Amino acid sequence: RIMAARRQDIWDIIASPGMLPLYHPFCEKNPVFEWPGPDSRDEVHYFNKVQLERRFIDWHEDIGYDLLIGRAGGRTSLVTWRIAELKERRTEITITVCPFAFQHLPVVARWVPHLVSVRPKLTSYLQSVVQGLDWFATMGETVRRNQFGVHPWFSPGLSE
């Protein structure tokens, strides 16, 4: 997604501890245990009471970071956040997720559920998060719960 904001402003938001509830439309709170840098650790507490732990593994100042996310003690997915300035007040953000779902299945068998179920829901989720970041960065206003639509994984009453 391309945002009408300076790269440094986006970095300042995503690299600050405990900021997720300000721009994440499914996040109720974001307790921080260690910050900043590649050993950062926090949790995402969703409105539907799901809690996921984030463990940062790489920290690229002013560029982005890589993290592992999942239930404490459970399987994790790799997530990369990258920001790039296109020109003054035009910044592109890219979030890439390598999900853990179905990794226990043979490669051929995992693609069907991934393409039919996981990918569309993950895309919708990431679009809402990035829309929230764009909203907060450009409007200066905290996003509301489910502001860009509900999500079956993280909205109350909709979890699968």
Side-chain angles (χ1 to χ4, degrees):
R1 181 176 180 104
I2 297 173
M3 301 179 194
R6 293 181 31 238
R7 182 193 50 76
Q8 189 62 48
D9 294 338
I10 299 298
W11 174 253
D12 289 345
I13 295 167
I14 69 169
S16 295
M19 296 283 284
L20 282 177
L22 300 178
Y23 66 86
H24 192 308
F26 309 117
C27 179
E28 182 175 18
K29 59 184 177 176
N30 179 217
V32 176
F33 305 108
E34 184 74 33
W35 206 270
D39 294 321
S40 296
R41 284 186 323 105
D42 69 3
E43 288 180 343
V44 182
H45 292 214
Y46 293 92
F47 286 112
N48 69 345
K49 306 304 178 205
V50 168
Q51 294 180 19
L52 299 180
E53 176 183 67
R54 299 193 311 168
R55 289 179 286 130
F56 293 70
I57 55 176
D58 284 312
W59 190 275
H60 309 283
E61 196 69 28
D62 299 326
I63 297 170
Y65 41 66
D66 305 332
L67 61 93
L68 297 172
I69 188 168
R71 293 184 192 271
R75 293 179 294 175
T76 59
S77 296
L78 174 65
V79 182
T80 63
W81 287 63
R82 293 294 184 272
I83 54 174
E85 188 167 66
L86 303 177
K87 59 183 180 180
E88 182 64 23
R89 301 201 64 76
R90 300 292 288 171
T91 300
E92 181 179 45
I93 184 161
T94 304
I95 303 173
T96 305
V97 179
C98 299
F100 66 78
F102 308 116
Q103 290 301 313
H104 61 285
L105 297 174
V107 174
V108 175
R110 77 175 76 143
W111 277 105
V112 171
H114 177 80
L115 291 174
V116 172
S117 180
V118 174
R119 188 178 188 137
K121 290 175 185 164
L122 186 57
T123 299
S124 168
Y125 169 78
L126 293 175
Q127 286 174 343
S128 290
V129 172
V130 173
Q131 280 180 285
L133 179 58
D134 191 11
W135 176 271
F136 182 73
T138 58
M139 304 296 286
E141 299 174 6
T142 301
V143 298
R144 297 179 319 278
R145 177 191 297 201
N146 297 323
Q147 182 167 334
F148 308 104
V150 297
H151 195 278
W153 291 344
F154 301 114
S155 297
L158 298 177
S159 296
E160 295 180 339

